[in-house]
Amino acid sequence: MMYFSSIFSIFLFEFFVLSTCYQTRFKRDFMLITDGNMTDAKCFEDCQQEYRAKFEYTLNQSLTEFYDFPFHPVVLESSSFQLYCKLSEQKTKCFADKCNDYAAENSFSPSNFVCLFKRTLFEKALKCLAKTEPITFLKCDHECHEEIVRTDRLKQITLNNQNQIFISSELATYETELDKLCRFQSCYMSCMAPVVKEMCGGEESKSAIEIVEAYVQWHADDISDWHSITGNDETLPKSCQSLVKPHSKADDPILQIIGNVA
């Protein structure tokens, strides 16, 4: 659990292996609790547990094994995508009605991104994303994970040779996992683009690449905003800084709304 100023957030970044393909996926679970409801964190957890039960029953998919990036096959199938958005809307309503979190609808989250903010673009890209997902899963997930493992191993060897000692902390652990996530996203974007261009038509491939790039950028903006608000600008990993576009908020009115909410 991370405590930042008067706002605390629960962030979890983890690798998990899907047993059928032995491929690694990043999963990001988070819950934001604002000043207005600091004393009732259980309220948010209750909403999340209610969402979990409905999600797993309705979509026949373990929420633990569901991942936000790259887009999970559940959201790449039209009918299940509609159900996913309906369930996500119910969770957001629970946050507002039971936990007084009226900013949830205008805050960045993976479900808000595909179901609200960029739904039209996502639906245009849906067919191409679904078509290319098996290939990008096998190729890009594997390549990007291996690249991160290799880089981290070399980095650790260098630190050991320099006899550096680090004090473990929740913040340091969080930033380390965040760095891995941003590096994975950057690698994945570069890897998936040529696959999509080869397998989909011009307009379809353009929409698919655009939605993935937009997700990564918005996610990076969200992370950057929270580091700024909580006075932790200096700890934001360089891999995440590189994904933030300086003029993105000025160019996108929805990002301006999200920034104002934050």
Side-chain angles (χ1 to χ4, degrees), residues 32-158:
L32 303 177
I33 300 177
T34 60
D35 290 344
N37 206 39
M38 284 291 290
T39 59
D40 193 12
K42 186 177 182 301
C43 175
F44 288 86
E45 181 61 23
D46 289 344
C47 287
Q48 182 65 22
Q49 289 304 319
E50 181 181 337
Y51 172 73
R52 173 183 292 275
K54 291 181 178 179
F55 181 97
E56 295 185 343
Y57 176 80
T58 304
L59 297 174
N60 193 29
Q61 166 69 49
S62 166
L63 188 59
T64 301
E65 295 182 356
F66 177 82
Y67 44 83
D68 302 313
F69 184 89
F71 300 119
H72 193 281
V74 163
V75 301
L76 297 181
E77 200 281 316
S78 183
S79 60
S80 57
F81 171 64
Q82 306 300 325
L83 292 172
Y84 167 76
C85 289
K86 183 177 180 180
L87 293 171
S88 298
E89 181 183 358
Q90 291 173 0
K91 179 174 67 172
T92 300
K93 189 174 187 301
C94 182
F95 287 162
D97 293 348
K98 297 182 179 180
C99 309
N100 299 320
D101 183 6
Y102 302 108
E105 186 177 7
N106 293 322
S107 300
F108 173 86
S109 71
S111 57
N112 278 355
F113 179 83
V114 297
C115 296
L116 293 175
F117 304 142
K118 292 291 184 179
R119 183 163 187 155
T120 299
L121 178 61
F122 184 77
E123 289 180 334
K124 284 177 61 178
L126 203 56
K127 183 178 178 180
C128 178
L129 290 171
K131 180 180 180 180
T132 57
E133 192 275 339
I135 305 301
T136 54
F137 178 89
L138 291 173
K139 175 178 170 60
C140 300
D141 273 37
H142 177 73
E143 287 185 6
C144 293
H145 172 61
E146 289 300 314
E147 173 63 21
I148 289 172
V149 170
R150 184 187 66 81
T151 303
D152 286 351
R153 188 178 293 123
L154 290 174
K155 187 186 301 182
Q156 188 59 50
I157 292 173
T158 301

Side-chain angles (χ1 to χ4, degrees), residues 145-186:
H145 172 61
E146 289 300 314
E147 173 63 21
I148 289 172
V149 170
R150 184 187 66 81
T151 303
D152 286 351
R153 188 178 293 123
L154 290 174
K155 187 186 301 182
Q156 188 59 50
I157 292 173
T158 301
L159 294 177
N160 290 341
N161 290 339
Q162 294 175 350
N163 295 319
Q164 293 194 30
I165 299 175
F166 292 90
I167 299 175
S168 177
S169 69
E170 288 183 336
L171 180 59
T173 300
Y174 162 66
E175 299 295 0
T176 298
E177 295 305 309
L178 185 57
D179 172 58
K180 291 179 182 179
L181 179 61
C182 289
R183 282 188 286 146
F184 176 83
Q185 290 179 335
S186 180

Side-chain angles (χ1 to χ4, degrees), residues 206-219:
K206 181 180 178 181
S207 296
I209 293 171
E210 184 179 347
I211 193 68
V212 171
E213 290 180 345
Y215 179 92
V216 171
Q217 178 201 321
W218 283 41
H219 177 234

